[in-house]
């Protein structure tokens, strides 16, 4: 196995988080290394989902692990994930994001989605998801399109969060 490496997670208002990620043309060794690093970074954070752009790589790659603490690890990889169907009925889940640390908000999204994606062998799969998995997939696919979960909140809430993180980034830059 190649050496895995922790990568830095981008925090808002980092502009790269607003970038549109490019589809992966070929699932090669470079993508597999990226995925290994993403898992290591995600588990270390700790978090349950990560999009490649959150470690500064604008490629359509998502890692997830929704296993509970006492359960064995259950890593899932989605290359070029695409929502091909979404239910009319909605569900509200509290969301958080490794790029917006220690902030949580209720987001309403379709309760079920069908997602088409490639695995690490480049094979196409389709997955029907509901509950937490449906929420996480939509949250991570949003990242690939430069969308953050705070974009689904009211403007008032979003502006408040953005202001808080912009101030913190400015302070950090001044003391660096
Ligand atoms: Zn996120």
């Amino acid at each position: 196995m190649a050496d895995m490496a922790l990568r830095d997670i981008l925090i808002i208002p980092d502009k790269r988080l607003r970038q549109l990620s490019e589809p992966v043309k070929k699932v090669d060794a470079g993508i597999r290394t990226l995925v290994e690093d993403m898992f290591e970074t995600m588990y270390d954070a700790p978090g349950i989902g990560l999009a490649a752009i959150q470690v500064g790589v604008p490629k359509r790659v998502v890692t997830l692990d929704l296993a509970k603490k006492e359960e064995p690890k259950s890593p899932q990889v989605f290359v070029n994930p695409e929502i091909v169907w979404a239910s009319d009925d909605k569900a509200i889940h509290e969301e958080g994001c490794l790029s917006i640390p220690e902030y949580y908000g209720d987001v309403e999204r379709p309760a079920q989605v069908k997602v088409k994606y490639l695995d690490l062998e480049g094979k196409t799969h389709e997955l029907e998801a509901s509950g937490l998995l449906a929420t996480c997939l939509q949250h991570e696919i949003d990242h690939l399109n430069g969308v953050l979960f705070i974009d689904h909140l009211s403007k008032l809430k979003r502006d408040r969060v953005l202001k808080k993180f912009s101030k913190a980034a400015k302070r950090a830059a001044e003391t660096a």
Side-chain angles (χ1 to χ4, degrees):
M1 192 142 82
D3 280 337
M4 291 193 288
L6 273 183
R7 302 207 188 184
D8 286 334
I9 296 175
L10 307 183
I11 307 293
I12 59 164
D14 194 304
K15 285 193 177 69
R16 286 171 287 178
L17 290 167
R18 294 308 193 174
Q19 215 173 314
L20 185 71
S21 292
E22 293 287 332
V24 172
K25 288 196 191 86
K26 192 170 184 290
V27 184
D28 56 14
I31 294 297
R32 282 189 279 270
T33 302
L34 169 67
V35 166
E36 282 173 10
D37 288 357
M38 284 172 67
F39 274 119
E40 200 188 1
T41 305
M42 185 181 91
Y43 287 130
D44 179 75
I48 59 173
L50 195 68
I53 191 61
Q54 290 180 275
V55 293
V57 179
K59 291 201 168 116
R60 301 185 84 83
V61 178
V62 164
T63 55
L64 287 184
D65 191 333
L66 307 186
K68 296 194 181 72
K69 264 190 202 121
E70 65 278 11
E71 292 172 349
K73 279 183 180 163
S74 174
Q76 289 178 284
V77 186
F78 301 88
V79 176
N80 297 343
E82 194 188 324
I83 295 170
V84 292
W85 172 83
S87 65
D88 289 330
D89 55 312
K90 313 276 190 215
I92 296 175
H93 285 277
E94 189 183 62
E95 295 188 24
C97 182
L98 291 174
S99 296
I100 313 172
E102 281 158 51
Y103 181 79
Y104 304 91
D106 286 334
V107 179
E108 189 186 77
R109 299 179 186 271
Q112 286 107 32
V113 288
K114 204 185 271 179
V115 174
K116 202 172 133 183
Y117 65 97
L118 301 179
D119 64 18
L120 283 182
E121 265 77 57
K123 267 201 286 196
T124 304
H125 297 268
E126 229 172 58
L127 174 73
E128 217 170 300
S130 60
L132 182 62
L133 180 59
T135 289
C136 289
L137 281 167
Q138 291 174 82
H139 176 120
E140 301 308 334
I141 291 169
D142 268 358
H143 273 300
L144 306 181
N145 297 320
V147 175
L148 300 169
F149 85 89
I150 52 172
D151 300 340
H152 297 284
L153 305 178
S154 69
K155 187 177 181 325
L156 184 75
K157 280 186 185 160
R158 181 169 59 252
D159 287 349
R160 208 185 287 152
V161 184
L162 285 171
K163 206 168 151 188
K164 188 182 144 204
F165 279 90
S166 298
K167 271 191 191 159
K170 221 170 153 185
R171 267 201 307 274
E174 279 163 10
T175 56

